[in-house]
Amino acid sequence: MAQTIAVGGHPAGRAATVRPDRWWVGPLLTFVGLMAFVVYTTWAAFQGDHYFHGSYLSPLYSPVLFVEPSAAGAAPADHAWFGAWPDWWPDFLPASPAFFILVFPAAFRTTCYYYRKAYYRSFFGTPPGCAVNPVGRSAYRGETFLLLFQNLHRYALYAAVVFIFILTYDALISFFRGGRLGVGVGSVVLVINAVLLAAYTFGCHSLRHLAGGRMDCFSCDGVVSPRHRVWRGISWLNARHMQFAWLSLFWVGFTDFYIRMVSMGVIPDLSTWG
Ligand code: FES
């Protein structure tokens, strides 16, 4: 069928393109993957229970700021940074420690340069792919007006780095239970979770800019500075940022799922503690 060719050689019409490949597969998979994660984490956050087992703490609930110890599978009271569940908490919301936590990783991922490309394409179709017309009617205006909040990414990064230390600590103390050193499948799951999240976080574009973005030359004084090594390390991770974004996203959800299943007694946790 003949297509109307607009000025500049692009076909007119919503989502119109002359691309012959299946360009829509990527945005579709992105949509399914992100939706699955959002639905699962929202559900898990509203449970408020089964986020702790032995020495395992779900990353969706860490750190525990307040605890409702009567909830099944809740963290012990002494795990909470600020103690018992606050009285001012509204009754219509479950007493879930995740509500105090998830805003930080959500802000970090939502404003991430990679995820912006991913969800602008797959959720909003602005445009859905390279050389494909936007799905909507409005003209491209860039990240203006409300989308200016995307500029806060660097500040979300600072919080995310703090979380890497907290989750690494969680992974390390998962090897101690009742004062005994040991290892369980959950410990390995938590270590992988911390490593993948660190690989994602330390490959951040904003961090790469902080490390070397304003420098014109790393070795003009004749020596390769330690800063250059840091920048190169970040650059290595940055080149794989999309891969680590997806791996860490999947694994953080899986880690919560694993601890939840073990806490509920659905699956056993193989460990040296017996
Ligand atoms: Fe993706 Fe910063 S750009 S985490």
Side-chain angles (χ1 to χ4, degrees):
M1 194 172 83
Q3 280 181 305
T4 307
I5 305 298
V7 176
H10 296 288
R14 298 185 188 191
T17 183
V18 292
R19 282 179 62 172
D21 61 328
R22 289 187 287 177
W23 58 266
W24 45 268
V25 172
L28 179 64
L29 292 177
T30 301
F31 180 85
V32 172
L34 290 180
M35 275 303 287
F37 181 77
V38 168
V39 168
Y40 176 76
T41 49
T42 304
W43 174 83
F46 271 82
Q47 301 313 298
D49 59 9
H50 294 299
Y51 58 87
F52 187 88
H53 177 80
S55 52
Y56 306 153
L57 173 62
S58 163
L60 301 185
Y61 283 73
S62 179
V64 178
L65 300 187
F66 300 99
V67 72
E68 174 50 72
S70 63
D78 60 2
H79 262 63
W81 287 16
F82 304 121
W85 199 256
D87 294 335
W88 48 261
W89 189 252
D91 290 338
F92 63 87
L93 280 176
S96 173
F99 290 137
F100 293 107
I101 300 306
L102 291 183
V103 62
F104 297 103
F108 187 51
R109 298 235 177 205
T110 305
T111 57
C112 164
Y113 289 73
Y114 164 66
Y115 281 114
R116 278 145 77 171
K117 182 194 84 169
Y119 67 78
Y120 287 165
R121 288 184 176 185
S122 59
F123 281 73
F124 304 117
T126 55
C130 288
V132 182
N133 281 353
V135 173
R137 200 187 285 265
S138 61
Y140 177 74
R141 289 193 297 270
E143 289 180 322
T144 54
F145 191 46
L146 286 178
L147 290 180
L148 285 173
F149 80 88
Q150 304 280 28
N151 293 329
L152 298 177
H153 184 62
R154 178 181 292 190
Y155 302 100
L157 165 68
Y158 299 151
V161 170
V162 172
F163 271 78
I164 295 302
F165 286 104
I166 292 171
L167 294 175
T168 301
Y169 175 77
D170 287 347
L172 292 177
I173 63 167
S174 74
F175 290 91
F176 296 89
R177 192 170 296 181
R180 284 192 300 144
L181 178 65
V183 61
V185 173
S187 316
V188 177
V189 169
L190 283 163
V191 168
I192 295 173
N193 180 60
V195 169
L196 289 176
L197 284 173
Y200 167 63
T201 302
F202 294 128
C204 171
H205 293 264
S206 290
L207 187 64
R208 185 168 178 264
H209 176 75
L210 279 175
R214 280 177 294 175
M215 297 187 68
D216 293 329
C217 180
F218 281 110
S219 57
C220 291
D221 55 0
V223 289
V224 178
S225 66
R227 188 170 183 168
H228 186 224
R229 291 198 188 91
V230 171
W231 181 82
R232 283 180 55 186
I234 294 172
S235 297
W236 190 90
L237 293 171
N238 181 260
R240 294 153 183 83
H241 197 48
M242 181 183 79
Q243 289 88 333
F244 285 124
W246 280 106
L247 285 171
S248 62
L249 190 80
F250 169 78
W251 203 264
V252 78
F254 173 73
T255 305
D256 176 86
F257 179 75
Y258 180 83
I259 293 171
R260 187 168 295 281
M261 292 298 104
V262 170
S263 170
M264 293 171 71
V266 176
I267 57 173
D269 176 58
L270 299 178
S271 77
T272 57
W273 294 292

